[in-house]
Amino acid sequence: MRSPRPRFARPSLVVTAALALAAVAGCGGGSSTTGGGSAAAPGGGAFTPPKIEALKSLGPGEGQVNLVAWAGYAEDGSNDPKVDWVHPFEKATGCTVNTKTAGTSDEMVNLMKTGEYDAVSASGDASLRLIASGTVAPVNTDLVPNYKDVFEGLKLKPWNSVNGVAYGIPHGRGANLLMWRTDTVKQAPDSWGVVFDPNSPYKGKVTAYDSPIYIADAALYLMSAKPELGIKDPYALDDKQLQAAVDLLKQQKQNIGEYWSDYTKAVQSFKSGDTVVGTTWQVIANLVEADKAPVKTTLPKEGSTGWSDTWMVAAKAKHPNCAYKWLDWIISPKANAQVAEWFGEAPSNAKACEQTSDKSFCDTYHATDEEYFSKVHYWTTPIAQCLDGRTDVKCTDYSEWTRAWTEIKG
């Protein structure tokens, strides 16, 4: 298999207390339990966003579109002449693309609130904030022809819809996996327990993702390891549940060699043997394997956390027609295949798998495996209104998670 070597990987998710509190106070986007979950939380939990109309029909393009995007999502050949889906879009539509690359979800939210941008590739920890603040509008999927070929497992989910109304177009998805060096970890693990074992034989050589969102990984493990805690959704933790996750992560810290957010450092650490087991992405595994390091990966029996990004349109977009044309283009089979391979994630369009240069790419990234992705709990923003539908308790929000992560790392 040809190993993809993308220039970019997913940025670290660090959400500040002020934004987490101010932008989504009192709102809840439904259950975020699994990739196969419903768009509304059982027993309630949905919120009422500002009343904003979706575009009813497409008109002629306005000549340009201003995007806020993750690095690697709007490539124009400047990083690699062979990697360019922007110029073909401009030629086909007459819409010049102006891209502002954002490094964090906070930056994306702030940029969109300036009113200067038409569309954004929002992650699950930003999408609800953008909806709740009225910054983005519902999306009329009838105006996005390629939407019909998007995997059903990505449509109308808690991070891209509210009450059955779509607020964006799915871009792609990926899972946070467990990886180990087979020359050191002799017995193949099938559980996240291997990274949380207080008596780990791999002390100093365990790794974990460096972000407050990693608290959800601990919560996910505790869902089955300590069912008496009653955790139903790793992003909906009351005070007691959060404390249990924090205690587990403090215990784990004694065995951590290094936390990572830069995927290139994770690659090097596994290659050198400084790390022998821990959280990874499929693209990291591909690169480590390409350099002949003995590693394997698995989606543990507890499931995993993961991400699914969404292209959203500004409520006051100055160039809405070009924005819609971009949404349709970026999920068209060829462009979606290009961005998936460059970035290192599963595409959202089922027909993209026919267009990848590596014909085994979609198998490697489990693009068509809905059973696989049904075990993935996609990143979303923890808020005070419990995302699991509970109304008799207040859940902890991301500002509390951020403080807890600082405490965990010391």
Side-chain angles (χ1 to χ4, degrees):
M1 181 195 78
R2 183 185 65 81
S3 174
R5 289 188 175 273
R7 186 72 55 86
F8 307 106
R10 176 149 220 88
S12 173
L13 299 177
V14 181
V15 181
T16 64
L19 279 170
L21 282 170
V24 295
C27 68
S31 173
S32 61
T33 50
T34 68
S38 63
F47 70 98
T48 302
K51 188 172 178 58
I52 300 171
E53 294 292 330
L55 195 67
K56 289 184 169 55
S57 62
L58 280 181
E62 300 87 357
Q64 64 176 317
V65 62
N66 300 325
L67 306 176
V68 176
W70 293 118
Y73 273 18
E75 289 297 299
D76 60 3
S78 57
N79 287 305
D80 185 331
K82 297 177 182 178
V83 182
D84 182 359
W85 49 88
V86 166
H87 285 116
F89 167 78
E90 293 176 333
K91 184 176 180 180
T93 65
C95 300
T96 299
V97 175
N98 306 305
T99 303
K100 173 66 176 178
T101 300
T104 68
S105 287
D106 279 358
E107 186 180 359
M108 285 190 168
V109 170
N110 287 334
L111 286 169
M112 288 303 291
K113 286 185 175 181
T114 67
E116 297 176 9
Y117 299 93
D118 304 302
V120 59
S121 61
S123 292
D125 69 322
S127 55
L128 285 186
R129 289 188 278 163
L130 292 167
I131 295 170
S133 62
T135 306
V136 297
V139 167
N140 184 346
T141 57
D142 290 341
L143 303 182
V144 185
N146 284 304
Y147 184 75
K148 68 181 185 301
D149 297 318
V150 169
F151 291 108
E152 290 300 321
L154 289 174
K155 293 180 177 179
L156 298 178
K157 294 303 172 184
W159 56 91
N160 60 31
S161 69
V162 177
N163 298 328
V165 176
Y167 273 80
I169 302 298
H171 172 96
R173 55 182 168 177
N176 297 315
L177 303 172
L178 174 63
M179 184 159 75
W180 67 95
R181 283 189 62 109
T182 57
D183 58 346
T184 305
V185 182
K186 299 296 186 181
Q187 185 171 349
D190 66 352
S191 166
W192 288 111
V194 70
V195 302
F196 292 119
D197 181 1
N199 301 308
S200 175
Y202 314 115
K203 184 174 183 177
K205 292 182 177 293
V206 177
T207 192
Y209 190 55
D210 190 1
S211 169
I213 203 70
Y214 184 67
I215 291 173
D217 292 62
L220 176 63
Y221 173 67
L222 290 171
M223 283 171 66
S224 57
K226 290 191 175 181
E228 64 273 17
L229 288 169
I231 300 174
K232 303 299 182 185
D233 182 325
Y235 304 99
L237 307 180
D238 59 34
D239 287 331
K240 180 181 177 182
Q241 294 165 339
L242 176 63
Q243 190 58 54
V246 169
D247 290 344
L248 179 62
L249 290 167
K250 285 182 176 179
Q251 174 183 284
Q252 182 199 44
K253 185 177 184 294
Q254 308 308 311
N255 294 323
I256 295 288
E258 63 178 326
Y259 294 97
W260 67 273
S261 57
D262 181 340
Y263 85 111
T264 59
K265 292 181 179 178
V267 169
Q268 186 56 43
S269 188
F270 267 103
K271 281 170 54 180
S272 68
D274 288 342
T275 294
V276 301
V277 65
T279 309
T280 194
W281 297 327
Q282 185 63 57
V283 64
I284 295 173
N286 291 348
L287 295 172
V288 175
E289 287 181 318
D291 287 327
K292 309 302 181 185
V295 295
K296 286 188 177 180
T297 63
T298 190
L299 184 78
K301 60 186 180 183
E302 297 92 356
S304 78
T305 58
W307 73 87
S308 174
D309 292 338
T310 304
W311 282 99
M312 311 180 90
V313 178
K316 298 180 180 179
K318 295 181 176 68
H319 314 102
N321 294 294
C322 280
Y324 266 78
K325 291 177 185 293
W326 173 260
L327 263 57
D328 192 50
W329 180 270
I330 198 61
I331 63 163
S332 63
K334 184 176 181 180
N336 203 228
Q338 288 176 299
V339 69
E341 285 195 281
W342 178 248
F343 191 82
E345 64 186 344
S348 64
N349 188 319
K351 292 183 177 179
C353 292
E354 302 168 7
Q355 301 287 332
T356 56
S357 59
D358 176 1
K359 296 309 175 185
S360 63
F361 180 85
C362 281
D363 289 337
T364 301
Y365 285 82
H366 302 274
T368 63
D369 191 345
E370 294 298 340
E371 182 181 356
Y372 175 91
F373 278 109
S374 73
K375 301 171 185 175
V376 176
H377 301 246
Y378 295 103
W379 283 337
T380 195
T381 310
I383 56 178
Q385 184 176 339
C386 297
L387 294 169
D388 58 8
R390 284 180 293 168
T391 57
D392 59 342
V393 66
K394 181 180 178 181
C395 277
T396 53
D397 63 29
Y398 211 60
S399 66
E400 293 172 87
W401 285 38
T402 302
R403 288 193 294 270
W405 187 245
T406 301
E407 181 185 328
I408 290 162
K409 292 187 67 181

